[in-house]
Amino acid sequence: MGPNADNEGSDSFDWDTEDEQEFMLPSSASPRCFGNGNVVCSDEASSSNGISISHFVGMGFSRDMVCKAIDENGGEGNSTAIVETLLTYSALEKSPSETEHVACGGQQFVSDISSSESAGDFLDDFSDEDYLGSEDNDETLSEMDKNLKQLVDMGYPAAEAAIAMERCGQDASIDVLTDFMCAAQTAKEADAQLEELPRFGFNEGERRNYFDGDSGKKKRFYSDNNWERKRQKQRERRRNSDEEVDSTIIPNPMIGFGIPAEPWRRHQRTLPNEVIGPPYFYYENVALAPKGVWSRISSYLYEIKPEFVDSKYFSAAARKRGYIHNLPISNRYPLLPIPPQTIHEALPMTKKWWPSWDSRTKLNCLQTCLASAKLTDRLRKAVADYHNDPPITIQKYVMEQCRKWNLVWVGKNKLAPLEPDEIESLLGFPKNHTRGISRTERLKGLGNSFQVDTVAYHLSVLKEMFPGGITVLSLFSGIGGAEVALHRLGIPLKTVVSVEKSETSTNILHNWWQSTHQKGNLIHIDDVTKLDADKLEQLINSFGGFDLVIGGSPCNNLAGSNRHTRDGLAGEHSSLFYDYFRILNQVKLIMGN
DNA sequence: CGAATTATGATTGAGGTG
DNA sequence: CACCTCAATCATAATTCG
């Protein structure tokens, strides 16, 4: 009946080595900026797994740095380790001063992007005068490395040590550095009170203590030695690790700069001058990413703070996402018709079988996998034994599984996962949008997509700006959430350059393009890493520039559902964010000329 | 061999309790 | 403040099926 309560004490933990590695992850570093095509070293031979020096150079690191990082990691095999090494170097070189003011009812943004020494500068407005690491010869670097290592050995987080070294100068003594960090620490502790925001009554906090001897897997863990040790280590790490380098605050309620239901909430923001469009850009990823990820993404995208929005305010299913963009935020309007807002409205057939003790009105996030038939059958058996409502412990267990797997009631005591066409509808896509490919592929494509109504609400401000239509660079297009959103807004698509690796997703977008009788051009490119400055310049010359650069880079190394490779931004796929950043910069640069 | 099926926790943060 | 409960989460990998 209950979930398998096993694996107590079966895992062995090796925290000692892991802690060291995590310290090496700085949580803030400034991006390198790009010049013209001369940064692209096309003569580089790719290694067997397709990762080359130019791949890392493309992320914005200098060539020297890349070579050194590859050497340190014993060749090009371990790209994740190389990226982390590079990010550490970046933190050593420079860390952005995180000045930030929060005005009442709005936010102000202060940019602090400096150009670097690498290959041409892309922002003429900024000078190099406050940049100190103009020639990072090996001796300087290794000296700084030595200091960093010593500080880390003393127990300081690498990120703070790197910041201290940057602030105090390269040849500051260890004493000076520790003093600096001590002062910074106390300042931050005193700074740790800023929290307001009203709360909504969406989830009534009905918390009961439940003591279930059978299905209770938790109580027993508390007396487990490994478990205790692990929790202790976690607490220690939490105290030690970068106290407040991650300044990202996820708002509650998660409504960003406003939702259609509350147009009276007024927000204002000030963007840095160099990102006031065009070109407009729109970047998306999961809101609940590992610590520090959003502040890093933000530091690359001109220090613009993400707009966190949960799609449950636009549809019957939740979808917590962060959006960084330079779009205006006033006079937004929702896509019509307004989609069903509750489970019963979206799936009327379920109403008949819905038990009174299932209090859900919204579905959770639509993911890429569905519950197994064995699980739903176990749940059916757990509930079917009772004439009336099952006991509270059974209810708890069933509800937990329902929430985890987004199950709905489709018969007496019968639960089932959603069908692909239901997911299409909940995400705002037309019926049969993904039809024609395998069920597994459909679920994957849909699970990785935008919620169309949510994105369209943000993009709606483009309509009056581009009455004649727009030219779009769509990165990581997937099944075409951005295209569908723009089309449903009635914004003509003059040209869409779509970059997408998956062939099945590409076909879906292509089919949609034809079936909606688009007048414009749809151009496909299959690899973001191959979209270099030359290619961009060629495209921009052909179409007169891009009005919008839109895309959400891979989230699978950030998403909470990933048990195996939740490696953060440095992960194999999620690191493609740096290509979004690179391409956006190159577009801005080329269009600026 | 592609498609379908199934099992597989950890990391966060909010909020309660003593 | 220490400690706990509760909740959410754009997935991966191994295996089986047809």
Side-chain angles (χ1 to χ4, degrees):
Chain A
M1 150 180 94
N4 38 341
D6 52 354
N7 77 347
E8 41 186 326
S10 56
D11 339 10
S12 65
F13 301 102
D14 197 2
W15 292 94
D16 294 333
T17 57
E18 186 174 332
D19 282 351
E20 315 289 335
Q21 284 171 354
E22 295 210 357
F23 275 135
M24 293 309 288
L25 262 177
S27 42
S28 67
S30 250
R32 323 306 294 287
C33 306
F34 290 87
N36 284 319
N38 56 346
V39 295
V40 182
C41 29
S42 53
D43 55 338
E44 215 43 63
S46 289
S47 64
S48 55
N49 58 1
I51 304 295
S52 65
I53 293 179
S54 62
H55 174 76
F56 297 108
V57 172
M59 291 180 187
F61 301 104
S62 75
R63 195 189 182 91
D64 289 343
M65 219 185 251
V66 170
C67 294
K68 185 168 165 56
I70 289 175
D71 282 343
E72 282 210 0
N73 289 280
E76 301 179 12
N78 190 348
S79 62
T80 301
I82 293 170
V83 169
E84 295 197 357
T85 304
L86 288 167
L87 295 175
T88 304
Y89 288 169
S90 279
L92 281 170
E93 269 204 344
K94 168 132 175 62
S95 56
S97 60
E98 305 223 3
T99 40
E100 172 182 340
H101 313 285
V102 178
C104 45
Q107 287 174 296
Q108 275 188 340
F109 303 108
V110 180
S111 86
D112 184 29
I113 302 243
S114 302
S115 52
S116 75
E117 87 283 4
S118 76
D121 307 318
F122 85 115
L123 290 176
D124 299 328
D125 310 346
F126 292 84
S127 68
D128 287 338
E129 54 197 6
D130 61 340
Y131 186 75
L132 44 98
S134 283
E135 58 278 75
D136 47 353
N137 55 54
D138 284 342
E139 280 178 4
T140 309
L141 201 53
S142 59
E143 186 61 31
M144 295 175 77
D145 265 340
K146 215 182 299 175
N147 280 348
L148 178 68
K149 186 175 188 318
Q150 186 170 347
L151 290 169
V152 170
D153 288 343
M154 293 166 71
Y156 291 98
E160 287 198 5
I163 290 172
M165 290 166 70
E166 198 265 326
R167 298 288 163 79
C168 299
Q170 289 181 51
D171 29 67
S173 70
I174 291 291
D175 288 342
V176 171
L177 293 171
T178 53
D179 278 352
F180 177 90
M181 283 185 285
C182 192
Q185 168 106 358
T186 54
K188 274 166 185 169
E189 280 166 358
D191 215 19
Q193 61 262 33
L194 60 155
E195 182 65 39
E196 64 281 37
L197 285 175
R199 299 205 50 79
F200 275 17
F202 281 96
N203 290 328
E204 66 281 15
E206 185 203 8
R207 315 257 191 254
R208 278 185 207 120
N209 277 338
Y210 80 107
F211 297 87
D212 39 355
D214 321 295
S215 62
K217 51 187 173 184
K218 295 161 186 167
K219 286 292 175 188
R220 292 204 278 167
F221 280 167
Y222 295 158
S223 58
D224 182 85
N225 266 349
N226 275 336
W227 190 88
E228 279 294 349
R229 213 174 111 215
K230 176 178 168 185
R231 290 287 296 229
Q232 189 62 35
K233 279 286 187 179
Q234 279 180 341
R235 282 193 291 271
E236 267 178 35
R237 190 163 46 160
R238 192 161 303 173
R239 275 194 294 271
N240 288 342
S241 76
D242 28 349
E243 291 295 321
E244 199 34 55
V245 191
D246 184 9
S247 58
T248 307
I249 298 174
I250 295 186
N252 188 359
M254 200 186 288
I255 57 174
F257 293 121
I259 54 176
E262 298 188 29
W264 58 86
R265 284 196 187 217
R266 289 272 170 206
H267 293 89
Q268 217 176 7
R269 67 168 178 174
T270 310
L271 293 170
N273 283 331
E274 78 270 27
V275 293
I276 294 182
Y280 291 100
F281 71 92
Y282 189 86
Y283 174 81
E284 176 258 13
N285 217 319
V286 291
L288 278 51
K291 270 186 176 176
V293 166
W294 271 110
S295 62
R296 176 176 291 278
I297 291 175
S298 185
S299 77
Y300 277 76
L301 297 178
Y302 318 101
E303 298 287 356
I304 299 175
K305 298 300 177 197
E307 174 175 13
F308 290 109
V309 183
D310 189 339
S311 291
K312 76 178 180 181
Y313 301 110
F314 291 83
S315 75
R319 205 168 188 81
K320 297 174 177 59
R321 296 295 179 269
Y323 306 91
I324 291 185
H325 61 85
N326 64 343
L327 294 164
I329 57 175
S330 51
N331 298 321
R332 291 168 165 177
Y333 63 90
L335 215 50
L336 296 176
I338 303 289
Q341 296 294 301
T342 66
I343 298 175
H344 289 341
E345 287 168 22
L347 308 165
M349 312 300 285
T350 66
K351 196 171 177 179
K352 178 177 175 185
W353 309 107
W354 208 270
S356 62
W357 47 272
D358 185 343
S359 58
R360 290 175 298 159
T361 60
K362 300 274 186 181
L363 292 163
N364 277 339
C365 185
L366 307 167
Q367 301 186 163
T368 58
C369 294
L370 296 181
S372 68
K374 289 198 169 177
L375 174 67
T376 55
D377 199 55
R378 283 199 297 270
L379 297 177
R380 183 186 59 77
K381 287 174 183 163
V383 174
D385 292 340
Y386 306 92
H387 272 295
N388 302 326
D389 291 350
I392 199 80
T393 57
I394 301 293
Q395 291 182 21
K396 275 274 190 184
Y397 166 62
V398 173
M399 286 307 302
E400 188 183 329
Q401 297 300 314
C402 283
R403 283 192 241 264
K404 176 183 287 187
W405 291 104
N406 261 334
L407 303 174
V408 293
W409 300 91
V410 296
K412 186 168 176 57
N413 298 326
K414 187 180 173 188
L415 285 157
L418 299 170
E419 288 297 319
D421 62 319
E422 293 168 336
I423 299 177
E424 278 173 357
S425 174
L426 287 162
L427 288 175
F429 287 92
K431 275 273 189 273
N432 296 326
H433 183 74
T434 59
R435 196 168 177 177
I437 59 177
S438 80
R439 185 184 167 86
T440 311
E441 287 287 311
R442 285 183 79 177
L443 293 169
K444 198 168 188 176
L446 288 163
N448 286 312
S449 175
F450 288 165
Q451 206 287 328
V452 171
D453 299 271
T454 309
V455 172
Y457 184 64
H458 298 157
L459 299 179
S460 62
V461 297
L462 292 170
K463 182 160 185 180
E464 68 171 13
M465 284 192 267
F466 300 98
I470 59 174
T471 302
V472 183
L473 176 55
S474 171
L475 305 176
F476 315 102
S477 305
I479 60 174
E483 289 80 356
V484 172
L486 291 165
H487 177 65
R488 287 191 58 192
L489 285 165
I491 301 175
L493 298 170
K494 292 197 294 192
T495 297
V496 173
V497 175
S498 162
V499 185
E500 172 59 44
K501 200 162 199 173
S502 158
E503 189 177 342
T504 53
S505 291
T506 300
N507 289 338
I508 286 167
L509 178 56
H510 192 73
N511 290 338
W512 173 85
W513 190 267
Q514 293 187 323
S515 63
T516 51
H517 306 102
Q518 297 290 328
K519 304 295 183 200
N521 307 314
L522 176 61
I523 294 167
H524 174 250
I525 296 172
D526 71 356
D527 191 350
V528 281
T529 64
K530 290 178 187 160
L531 182 52
D532 57 17
D534 289 340
K535 184 70 180 167
L536 284 167
E537 194 157 7
Q538 177 191 331
L539 290 167
I540 289 169
N541 286 337
S542 306
F543 306 116
F546 292 110
D547 304 311
L548 176 67
V549 179
I550 186 168
S553 62
C555 67
N556 51 353
N557 301 126
L558 311 177
S561 304
N562 190 338
R563 281 119 154 113
H564 298 88
T565 51
R566 197 182 186 188
D567 302 329
L569 253 197
E572 180 185 0
H573 302 104
S574 294
S575 58
L576 289 173
F577 157 75
Y578 296 106
D579 281 286
Y580 180 95
F581 157 76
R582 171 183 62 82
I583 290 169
L584 175 61
N585 265 337
Q586 288 174 341
V587 167
K588 287 170 69 71
L589 177 66
I590 296 168
M591 286 178 62
N593 294 339

